[in-house]
Amino acid sequence: MTNKWAIFSFMNLAAPIYCIIMQVVVGSVTYFMCIPTIYRNDDQTQFWHRACFLIFFIGLVVNYILCFVTRSTLKRNQVIQPTKRDDSSATVLPMYSSESMKEWTYCTLCRLDSPPRCYHCPICNECVLKRISHCFFVGRCIGHFNHRYYISFLIYTVIVAFYSLILYLNYLHDDFGSPFSLNIISFLYPIALGQFFLGKTPLDSLLLLTLTYQCLMYTVGCTFLFFQAWFQLTNGQTPHETHNKISIYKYTMKENIQIVFGRKWLLALILPWPTALPKDGITWEVSNFTKNL
């Protein structure tokens, strides 16, 4: 068990470092090498490609940073408050009535009453409001307050990775041919590696092919994660609730989107700018549909 958590702790440190390095490498190679080389004879097209890529890349980076710095941790002062006594031995009282705390649970590790949808993360070692999952690439738990940045981060990652993937394939055309022909076999990494050792493939092309596979992995992986997250979001469920078929907090699709992104959800989905959320992550009303059952 100790080795298991040691591995998780290492992953929680190594994965964000890897993710940041990939952002720097992909951003630099695409912006400073591929776009200028491919469109070297067309300054106007080069400008627009650079401008579009820069907008998407900034969106990726800002959402990643906001996802990391915005915590959804359950804090002591959110669920308990001191009595009016001034002495240091004063007890603490629940801030919520027993009626509103029917669905609350007690976390023995945090020694706090946890509201509905709040679960303890053994990696972060804290209770997280409306916990979605622990994201190793961010190094944080995804919860109520950084859920929107996580989804936007996935969207921008897919765009940047796919954009770069197409540009890399274009750039590698002279060395490997078209990937949409019989030359596709030359893009297989073992084949390309063999060609490199035979002196038929330059080192820079092999490294760019490696980066191409990374972009393909990010495109496919983050697309899957996005659709999974969006399905659960529109259904008003966390992964735990989806797995256990819990749907008592299910609102309309628009309400579910606004709970995550705020009232101006479309603007918040596009722009990585902090906006107020209609829920505090602690109080959750049972949906009207469930009440009528």
Side-chain angles (χ1 to χ4, degrees), residues 158-171:
V158 170
I159 295 173
V160 169
F162 185 70
Y163 198 160
S164 299
L165 174 65
I166 298 301
L167 289 172
Y168 295 169
L169 291 176
N170 193 340
Y171 187 93

PDB file of all heavy atoms in Angstrom, residues 158-171:
ATOM      1  N   VAL A 158      -7.157  19.874 -27.339  1.00  0.00           N
ATOM      2  CA  VAL A 158      -7.525  19.153 -28.562  1.00  0.00           C
ATOM      3  C   VAL A 158      -7.262  20.024 -29.788  1.00  0.00           C
ATOM      4  O   VAL A 158      -6.698  19.558 -30.791  1.00  0.00           O
ATOM      5  CB  VAL A 158      -9.012  18.725 -28.517  1.00  0.00           C
ATOM      6  CG1 VAL A 158      -9.458  18.194 -29.876  1.00  0.00           C
ATOM      7  CG2 VAL A 158      -9.223  17.664 -27.445  1.00  0.00           C
ATOM      8  N   ILE A 159      -7.648  21.295 -29.716  1.00  0.00           N
ATOM      9  CA  ILE A 159      -7.456  22.204 -30.862  1.00  0.00           C
ATOM     10  C   ILE A 159      -5.970  22.387 -31.166  1.00  0.00           C
ATOM     11  O   ILE A 159      -5.536  22.259 -32.321  1.00  0.00           O
ATOM     12  CB  ILE A 159      -8.118  23.570 -30.581  1.00  0.00           C
ATOM     13  CG1 ILE A 159      -9.634  23.420 -30.479  1.00  0.00           C
ATOM     14  CG2 ILE A 159      -7.758  24.573 -31.682  1.00  0.00           C
ATOM     15  CD1 ILE A 159     -10.349  24.687 -30.048  1.00  0.00           C
ATOM     16  N   VAL A 160      -5.178  22.695 -30.141  1.00  0.00           N
ATOM     17  CA  VAL A 160      -3.737  22.928 -30.337  1.00  0.00           C
ATOM     18  C   VAL A 160      -3.037  21.668 -30.824  1.00  0.00           C
ATOM     19  O   VAL A 160      -2.209  21.715 -31.744  1.00  0.00           O
ATOM     20  CB  VAL A 160      -3.097  23.438 -29.027  1.00  0.00           C
ATOM     21  CG1 VAL A 160      -1.567  23.430 -29.131  1.00  0.00           C
ATOM     22  CG2 VAL A 160      -3.587  24.842 -28.708  1.00  0.00           C
ATOM     23  N   ALA A 161      -3.366  20.522 -30.213  1.00  0.00           N
ATOM     24  CA  ALA A 161      -2.711  19.266 -30.593  1.00  0.00           C
ATOM     25  C   ALA A 161      -3.070  18.871 -32.029  1.00  0.00           C
ATOM     26  O   ALA A 161      -2.194  18.464 -32.809  1.00  0.00           O
ATOM     27  CB  ALA A 161      -3.107  18.163 -29.616  1.00  0.00           C
ATOM     28  N   PHE A 162      -4.336  18.990 -32.397  1.00  0.00           N
ATOM     29  CA  PHE A 162      -4.760  18.616 -33.756  1.00  0.00           C
ATOM     30  C   PHE A 162      -4.198  19.588 -34.785  1.00  0.00           C
ATOM     31  O   PHE A 162      -3.760  19.182 -35.872  1.00  0.00           O
ATOM     32  CB  PHE A 162      -6.284  18.578 -33.838  1.00  0.00           C
ATOM     33  CG  PHE A 162      -6.802  18.092 -35.163  1.00  0.00           C
ATOM     34  CD1 PHE A 162      -6.657  16.765 -35.536  1.00  0.00           C
ATOM     35  CD2 PHE A 162      -7.410  18.971 -36.048  1.00  0.00           C
ATOM     36  CE1 PHE A 162      -7.120  16.317 -36.772  1.00  0.00           C
ATOM     37  CE2 PHE A 162      -7.869  18.537 -37.278  1.00  0.00           C
ATOM     38  CZ  PHE A 162      -7.728  17.198 -37.639  1.00  0.00           C
ATOM     39  N   TYR A 163      -4.204  20.862 -34.459  1.00  0.00           N
ATOM     40  CA  TYR A 163      -3.636  21.907 -35.328  1.00  0.00           C
ATOM     41  C   TYR A 163      -2.162  21.602 -35.599  1.00  0.00           C
ATOM     42  O   TYR A 163      -1.695  21.599 -36.752  1.00  0.00           O
ATOM     43  CB  TYR A 163      -3.788  23.252 -34.633  1.00  0.00           C
ATOM     44  CG  TYR A 163      -3.665  24.473 -35.512  1.00  0.00           C
ATOM     45  CD1 TYR A 163      -4.191  25.698 -35.096  1.00  0.00           C
ATOM     46  CD2 TYR A 163      -3.022  24.442 -36.741  1.00  0.00           C
ATOM     47  CE1 TYR A 163      -4.079  26.839 -35.873  1.00  0.00           C
ATOM     48  CE2 TYR A 163      -2.914  25.571 -37.530  1.00  0.00           C
ATOM     49  CZ  TYR A 163      -3.440  26.770 -37.096  1.00  0.00           C
ATOM     50  OH  TYR A 163      -3.335  27.889 -37.875  1.00  0.00           O
ATOM     51  N   SER A 164      -1.431  21.313 -34.528  1.00  0.00           N
ATOM     52  CA  SER A 164      -0.002  21.007 -34.656  1.00  0.00           C
ATOM     53  C   SER A 164       0.213  19.705 -35.411  1.00  0.00           C
ATOM     54  O   SER A 164       1.156  19.589 -36.214  1.00  0.00           O
ATOM     55  CB  SER A 164       0.635  20.928 -33.267  1.00  0.00           C
ATOM     56  OG  SER A 164       0.522  22.164 -32.584  1.00  0.00           O
ATOM     57  N   LEU A 165      -0.635  18.734 -35.165  1.00  0.00           N
ATOM     58  CA  LEU A 165      -0.527  17.434 -35.850  1.00  0.00           C
ATOM     59  C   LEU A 165      -0.599  17.611 -37.367  1.00  0.00           C
ATOM     60  O   LEU A 165       0.222  17.051 -38.108  1.00  0.00           O
ATOM     61  CB  LEU A 165      -1.647  16.512 -35.357  1.00  0.00           C
ATOM     62  CG  LEU A 165      -1.794  15.157 -36.063  1.00  0.00           C
ATOM     63  CD1 LEU A 165      -0.571  14.284 -35.829  1.00  0.00           C
ATOM     64  CD2 LEU A 165      -3.052  14.446 -35.578  1.00  0.00           C
ATOM     65  N   ILE A 166      -1.569  18.387 -37.837  1.00  0.00           N
ATOM     66  CA  ILE A 166      -1.725  18.617 -39.276  1.00  0.00           C
ATOM     67  C   ILE A 166      -0.504  19.344 -39.847  1.00  0.00           C
ATOM     68  O   ILE A 166       0.016  18.998 -40.919  1.00  0.00           O
ATOM     69  CB  ILE A 166      -3.005  19.431 -39.560  1.00  0.00           C
ATOM     70  CG1 ILE A 166      -4.249  18.656 -39.103  1.00  0.00           C
ATOM     71  CG2 ILE A 166      -3.111  19.766 -41.039  1.00  0.00           C
ATOM     72  CD1 ILE A 166      -4.420  17.307 -39.759  1.00  0.00           C
ATOM     73  N   LEU A 167      -0.007  20.340 -39.120  1.00  0.00           N
ATOM     74  CA  LEU A 167       1.167  21.090 -39.578  1.00  0.00           C
ATOM     75  C   LEU A 167       2.414  20.215 -39.610  1.00  0.00           C
ATOM     76  O   LEU A 167       3.226  20.309 -40.541  1.00  0.00           O
ATOM     77  CB  LEU A 167       1.405  22.300 -38.675  1.00  0.00           C
ATOM     78  CG  LEU A 167       0.381  23.446 -38.790  1.00  0.00           C
ATOM     79  CD1 LEU A 167       0.626  24.488 -37.708  1.00  0.00           C
ATOM     80  CD2 LEU A 167       0.436  24.090 -40.173  1.00  0.00           C
ATOM     81  N   TYR A 168       2.565  19.343 -38.624  1.00  0.00           N
ATOM     82  CA  TYR A 168       3.733  18.457 -38.583  1.00  0.00           C
ATOM     83  C   TYR A 168       3.724  17.475 -39.745  1.00  0.00           C
ATOM     84  O   TYR A 168       4.766  17.199 -40.348  1.00  0.00           O
ATOM     85  CB  TYR A 168       3.783  17.695 -37.259  1.00  0.00           C
ATOM     86  CG  TYR A 168       4.001  18.567 -36.041  1.00  0.00           C
ATOM     87  CD1 TYR A 168       3.837  18.052 -34.754  1.00  0.00           C
ATOM     88  CD2 TYR A 168       4.366  19.902 -36.156  1.00  0.00           C
ATOM     89  CE1 TYR A 168       4.029  18.852 -33.630  1.00  0.00           C
ATOM     90  CE2 TYR A 168       4.553  20.706 -35.051  1.00  0.00           C
ATOM     91  CZ  TYR A 168       4.385  20.171 -33.787  1.00  0.00           C
ATOM     92  OH  TYR A 168       4.571  20.956 -32.677  1.00  0.00           O
ATOM     93  N   LEU A 169       2.545  16.933 -40.059  1.00  0.00           N
ATOM     94  CA  LEU A 169       2.442  16.003 -41.192  1.00  0.00           C
ATOM     95  C   LEU A 169       2.782  16.717 -42.493  1.00  0.00           C
ATOM     96  O   LEU A 169       3.423  16.134 -43.385  1.00  0.00           O
ATOM     97  CB  LEU A 169       1.029  15.409 -41.253  1.00  0.00           C
ATOM     98  CG  LEU A 169       0.656  14.440 -40.124  1.00  0.00           C
ATOM     99  CD1 LEU A 169      -0.803  14.014 -40.248  1.00  0.00           C
ATOM    100  CD2 LEU A 169       1.565  13.212 -40.114  1.00  0.00           C
ATOM    101  N   ASN A 170       2.372  17.965 -42.598  1.00  0.00           N
ATOM    102  CA  ASN A 170       2.705  18.768 -43.775  1.00  0.00           C
ATOM    103  C   ASN A 170       4.206  19.007 -43.856  1.00  0.00           C
ATOM    104  O   ASN A 170       4.824  18.898 -44.925  1.00  0.00           O
ATOM    105  CB  ASN A 170       1.937  20.097 -43.701  1.00  0.00           C
ATOM    106  CG  ASN A 170       1.967  20.862 -45.012  1.00  0.00           C
ATOM    107  OD1 ASN A 170       2.810  20.638 -45.867  1.00  0.00           O
ATOM    108  ND2 ASN A 170       1.039  21.788 -45.169  1.00  0.00           N
ATOM    109  N   TYR A 171       4.800  19.323 -42.714  1.00  0.00           N
ATOM    110  CA  TYR A 171       6.237  19.603 -42.652  1.00  0.00           C
ATOM    111  C   TYR A 171       7.059  18.365 -43.005  1.00  0.00           C
ATOM    112  O   TYR A 171       8.111  18.454 -43.646  1.00  0.00           O
ATOM    113  CB  TYR A 171       6.593  20.082 -41.246  1.00  0.00           C
ATOM    114  CG  TYR A 171       8.012  20.571 -41.086  1.00  0.00           C
ATOM    115  CD1 TYR A 171       8.322  21.923 -41.247  1.00  0.00           C
ATOM    116  CD2 TYR A 171       9.041  19.685 -40.778  1.00  0.00           C
ATOM    117  CE1 TYR A 171       9.623  22.385 -41.101  1.00  0.00           C
ATOM    118  CE2 TYR A 171      10.355  20.137 -40.626  1.00  0.00           C
ATOM    119  CZ  TYR A 171      10.633  21.480 -40.791  1.00  0.00           C
ATOM    120  OH  TYR A 171      11.918  21.927 -40.647  1.00  0.00           O
TER     121      TYR A 171
END
